Amino acid sequence: NAGVTQTPKFRILKIGQSMTLQCTQDMNHNYMYWYRQDPGMGLKLIYYSVGAGITDKGEVPNGYNVSRSTTEDFPLRLELAAPSQTSVYFCASTLGAVDEQYFGPGTRLTVT
Amino acid sequence: EDQVTQSPEALRLQEGESSSLNCSYTVSGLRGLFWYRQDPGKGPEFLFTLYSAGEEKEKERLKATLTKKESFLHITAPKPEDSATYLCAVPYNNNDMRFGAGTRLTVKP
């Protein structure tokens, strides 16, 4: 099993551009999450999904959108990128709501 | 507001010098407390889950304990390869996890 994979690993965006961060898991997990991690800060939840077709906002959803059309994939869309979205983004998955989460390797995004 | 606080922010130890990391939480109705290890440039990796006060779990040089208000991660005779950031997290509401800011541990040979 590859676990949780994320692409790209690095990306530089100009202000106002858009992009999609890809996340795929091959563990047949129901729950998937997107977090951002800023230097010296913990992980902040952006969006999560409890199954295909079901998504909900986390703690910091503004400026982002998600979709979950399959169990495996949970892409994160950034529209009109802003410098405040410069961060490291992690995708995670888990079988149940209160189980340990499996994290991807992260995407380091810089918006200039 | 429910939150998770970790201390210290950073900890430097000599190899073999035992110490403890703290995670305090204010979330009501705890449904588990999770410890993760994060190496630079990588995603967090799961270490332990604790569910009830008094519970302890061990893995090599690490031992996690839980009380009603906080959890400790004890590191016994650490080695340089234990250097990492250690994160704790608790479930919040129904479906999300609230993480602390982490303790950055450095173990010098």
Side-chain angles (χ1 to χ4, degrees), chain A residues 22-74:
Chain A
Q22 301 291 346
C23 175
T24 300
Q25 55 93 7
D26 62 0
M27 296 172 283
N28 203 32
H29 284 170
N30 295 318
Y31 294 76
M32 295 188 75
Y33 305 82
W34 275 107
Y35 294 92
R36 60 177 289 171
Q37 186 176 38
D38 299 315
M41 305 290 287
L43 295 155
K44 300 290 187 184
L45 182 67
I46 305 170
Y47 271 94
Y48 65 94
S49 169
V50 302
I54 307 169
T55 63
D56 207 347
K57 296 177 181 179
E59 192 179 358
V60 290
N62 291 343
Y64 307 94
N65 275 301
V66 294
S67 60
R68 183 101 181 267
S69 57
T70 67
T71 299
E72 295 79 19
D73 299 306
F74 190 40

Side-chain angles (χ1 to χ4, degrees), chain A residues 31 33 35 37 40-45 48 50 57-59 90 97-106 108, chain B residues 1 31-32 34 36 38 41-46 49 51 85 87 91 94-102 104:
Chain A
Y31 294 76
Y33 305 82
Y35 294 92
Q37 186 176 38
M41 305 290 287
L43 295 155
K44 300 290 187 184
L45 182 67
Y48 65 94
V50 302
K57 296 177 181 179
E59 192 179 358
F90 289 101
V98 196
D99 291 329
E100 65 267 24
Q101 296 187 4
Y102 294 81
F103 285 83
R108 184 174 296 275
Chain B
E1 180 181 302
R31 293 177 291 140
F34 296 77
Y36 290 84
Q38 186 176 23
K42 295 190 176 181
E45 183 179 330
F46 170 74
T49 309
Y51 290 104
T85 296
L87 302 167
N94 290 322
N95 295 309
D96 70 67
M97 200 72 72
R98 193 61 57 98
F99 281 81
R104 188 173 64 254

Side-chain angles (χ1 to χ4, degrees), chain B residues 4-24:
Chain B
V4 181
T5 305
Q6 292 189 246
S7 62
E9 288 185 15
L11 182 63
R12 295 171 66 91
L13 300 174
Q14 287 296 126
E15 184 172 1
E17 179 187 3
S18 302
S19 189
S20 297
L21 283 55
N22 178 263
C23 171
S24 63

Side-chain angles (χ1 to χ4, degrees), chain B residues 58-105:
Chain B
E58 288 189 64
K59 180 179 180 180
E60 296 182 355
R61 295 173 294 281
L62 300 176
K63 183 169 79 172
T65 63
L66 181 65
T67 72
K68 288 187 177 180
K69 293 294 184 186
E70 58 191 349
S71 177
F72 291 93
L73 185 64
H74 306 278
I75 304 176
T76 303
K79 298 182 177 182
E81 54 261 42
D82 295 321
S83 297
T85 296
Y86 291 85
L87 302 167
C88 68
V90 297
Y92 176 71
N93 288 334
N94 290 322
N95 295 309
D96 70 67
M97 200 72 72
R98 193 61 57 98
F99 281 81
T103 293
R104 188 173 64 254
L105 174 67

